[in-house]
Amino acid sequence: MTYLALALLLVVLIHQGCFHFHVEAGDGFIRTRGVHFLLNGSPYYANGFNAYWLMYTASDPSQRPKVSAAFREAASHGLTVARTWAFSDGGYRPLQYSPGSYNEQMFKGLDFVVAEARSYGIKLILSFANNYDSFGGKKQYVNWARSRGQYLSSDDDFFRHPVVKGYYKNHIKTVLYRYNSFTGIRFKDDPTIMAWELMNEPRCTSDPSGRTIQAWIAEMASFVKSIDRNHLLEAGLEGFYGPSTPQRNSLNLGLKIGTDFIANNRIPEIDFATVHAYPDQWLSSSNDQNQLSFLNNWLDTHIQDAQNSLRKPILIAEFGKSWKYPGFSTYQRDLLFNTVYYKIYSSAKRGGAAAGGLFWQLLTEGMDNFHDGYEIMLGQPSSTANVIAQQAHKLYQIRKIFLRMRNVERWKRARAARARRVHWRGGNGGKRIGN
């Protein structure tokens, strides 16, 4: 689609009421209105990447140039959002040694990540905890409670037990009130942070009814918002459906993990929905064509549900294709990226709910130990890097058109205000009313 054709389409959509301009102060925080993200009153699209390793790497000052390089390479390809961990619980080089006991050196690593992202114009999505054992996860919280005399029968008691929930809330509070040692700004007051995430891919297989996760998200979302109303909040969901939409359960590939895409995201304090997409993992025995067919259906359904049922933006918060699976080719990876990006762009240009995508994962030079098969090295020329940059350019064009239209809207308001003042003065002979 040409720039002119896109501009004309957006004009039509604005007149049809698909977009609403709102002139507001530019405080730099990302907001939502209906199915759109807004930055300083204009539509915003989150084109970016995952890099879970940022805090861990930055905790060693000698390794911080790798964080800087990642942000620099991302910014040069037009990327605007990074999702990363604000947790590392127990074990080797933790952020949290034990409940309420923190490693200042690791926290300074997170401080650096936020400060460096700010300098490159990149927004952050920070996750509070992990469902899995990596970097501690819910298992570590449960083990902490057990070591202090609490009886817990399952790692899923993370979502139920009041002592464990207390540990988790304390971690949230500690992160939100953290003073950044580089910027002097509390995290809860820093617009560099786009959103908080309750947990990376929460699952509660012991309660497939979904009631446990639903109650936990509602409680924790309310807690976050009681401290921080500046930032957006999302739950960290993969997108699997639950009892509220039995007609969608065929998309779950037989998984019963205790989440409910519709019910969980309808919680008022959850500002936007997320979906993850790993057809190479979920359909590992299928060929590329079947995996791509599933991906198309998976994304179409979730974007449609975000638009019509949730009336909230949706972010494709993780997607990728691993070279470790048999039959991998760069062509097939580019095809998957293009499929995801096309779904986002075609929704965005029509005023739809798809608000961005974050690929898994970005690495930079000298990080061989972090290779997981999904890594993208933007510092090295590749066809995939070109696909990523092209998507950034296309979303930027949409945003640029809106910024121009917003300036026109401001000019019209200013002209109308001037006309009212002239009319008022003319109607009173230019004389002051009153004594």
Side-chain angles (χ1 to χ4, degrees):
M1 178 177 283
T2 67
Y3 181 86
L4 178 58
L6 174 60
L8 291 173
L9 174 61
L10 292 176
V11 169
V12 170
L13 290 171
I14 289 166
H15 283 293
Q16 290 176 346
C18 296
F19 293 97
H20 299 279
F21 287 111
H22 182 74
V23 179
E24 59 185 27
D27 62 6
F29 286 98
I30 306 294
R31 318 278 187 196
T32 62
R33 179 169 294 106
V35 298
H36 303 125
F37 289 136
L38 298 180
L39 174 60
N40 301 332
S42 295
Y44 179 82
Y45 301 99
N47 193 44
F49 60 96
N50 285 270
Y52 72 89
W53 48 270
L54 291 172
M55 175 183 71
Y56 178 86
T57 301
S59 67
D60 179 351
S62 71
Q63 298 300 303
R64 287 175 184 167
K66 293 177 181 175
V67 173
S68 301
F71 283 139
R72 182 172 61 252
E73 291 161 7
S76 72
H77 284 73
L79 300 182
T80 56
V81 176
R83 175 174 172 261
T84 192
W85 299 166
F87 62 81
S88 181
D89 302 306
Y92 177 66
R93 287 173 63 189
L95 173 62
Q96 192 173 193
Y97 290 116
S98 60
S101 176
Y102 285 86
N103 177 353
E104 181 62 19
Q105 190 62 33
M106 190 61 70
F107 241 142
K108 286 181 178 177
L110 186 57
D111 293 345
F112 178 82
V113 169
V114 175
E116 199 71 351
R118 182 188 186 96
S119 70
Y120 283 98
I122 290 174
K123 301 287 188 181
L124 296 173
I125 297 175
L126 298 180
S127 187
F128 289 127
N130 203 4
N131 178 71
Y132 309 108
D133 297 351
S134 300
F135 297 93
K138 65 185 181 187
K139 178 188 283 291
Q140 181 61 74
Y141 276 89
V142 168
N143 286 339
W144 279 334
R146 284 175 176 153
S147 70
R148 298 187 180 187
Q150 300 296 320
Y151 175 76
L152 294 93
S153 61
S154 161
D155 290 348
D156 285 349
D157 285 336
F158 173 90
F159 301 108
R160 292 183 281 254
H161 198 281
V163 170
V164 178
K165 289 195 288 185
Y167 294 161
Y168 174 74
K169 285 180 177 178
N170 182 72
H171 176 61
I172 289 174
K173 192 173 181 179
T174 301
V175 172
L176 294 181
Y177 280 107
R178 170 73 180 181
Y179 272 108
N180 191 315
S181 57
F182 290 89
T183 67
I185 303 171
R186 274 183 172 161
F187 284 178
K188 75 182 191 72
D189 299 322
D190 193 337
T192 306
I193 298 165
M194 171 182 172
W196 305 109
E197 177 178 280
L198 291 180
M199 174 178 260
N200 173 50
E201 298 188 344
R203 294 184 172 192
C204 185
T205 55
S206 63
D207 183 9
S209 76
R211 286 189 290 269
T212 297
I213 288 278
Q214 181 76 2
W216 181 82
I217 292 174
E219 179 181 350
M220 298 309 166
S222 178
F223 181 75
V224 172
K225 291 292 188 173
S226 72
I227 299 171
D228 181 1
R229 306 294 299 188
N230 287 325
H231 290 103
L232 302 179
L233 179 65
E234 47 100 350
L237 299 173
E238 298 160 271
F240 294 108
Y241 288 92
S244 71
T245 50
Q247 72 277 15
R248 298 288 198 220
N249 288 348
S250 61
L251 283 169
N252 286 356
L253 303 171
L255 292 173
K256 296 181 179 179
I257 61 170
T259 60
D260 188 318
F261 176 74
I262 297 298
N264 298 160
N265 284 307
R266 275 188 174 147
I267 292 169
E269 290 82 9
I270 297 299
D271 295 299
F272 63 96
T274 60
V275 61
H276 297 181
Y278 291 108
D280 61 345
Q281 289 184 29
W282 300 343
L283 296 165
S284 57
S285 60
S286 294
N287 60 32
D288 288 321
Q289 184 177 352
N290 288 337
Q291 290 179 12
L292 209 57
S293 176
F294 169 84
L295 178 64
N296 273 286
N297 192 22
W298 178 255
L299 295 179
D300 285 342
T301 304
H302 283 84
I303 293 170
Q304 176 186 333
D305 286 342
Q307 177 85 32
N308 300 327
S309 297
L310 299 174
R311 298 296 301 157
K312 294 180 181 182
I314 184 168
L315 187 65
I316 303 168
E318 289 188 27
F319 67 93
K321 189 173 181 66
S322 172
W323 55 259
K324 293 186 176 182
Y325 285 94
F328 170 86
S329 71
T330 302
Y331 170 79
Q332 288 295 335
R333 182 175 67 187
D334 291 351
L335 192 56
L336 181 139
F337 272 61
N338 271 317
T339 299
V340 172
Y341 286 155
Y342 175 76
K343 298 296 183 187
I344 295 166
Y345 177 71
S346 61
S347 173
K349 74 183 182 182
R350 291 175 170 82
L358 315 176
F359 66 82
W360 184 282
Q361 64 161 329
L362 177 66
L363 293 182
T364 191
E365 296 293 336
M367 301 189 69
D368 292 354
N369 291 340
F370 293 86
H371 286 208
D372 62 357
Y374 290 93
E375 68 276 357
I376 302 293
M377 311 280 285
L378 292 178
Q380 300 174 356
S382 71
S383 57
T384 308
N386 291 338
V387 169
I388 291 166
Q390 287 165 10
Q391 174 74 353
H393 177 73
K394 287 161 72 175
L395 293 179
Y396 172 73
Q397 291 298 324
I398 296 177
R399 178 163 169 75
K400 188 164 71 170
I401 291 168
F402 278 116
L403 287 171
R404 288 179 178 176
M405 291 179 178
R406 185 172 178 235
N407 288 336
V408 170
E409 185 75 11
R410 281 176 165 167
W411 176 79
K412 287 181 178 178
R413 291 186 182 191
R415 187 176 67 170
R418 258 195 324 272
R420 285 194 298 270
R421 286 196 298 271
V422 169
H423 177 74
W424 178 83
R425 288 172 181 162
N428 291 285
K431 297 178 181 177
R432 191 175 58 174
I433 299 174
N435 296 325

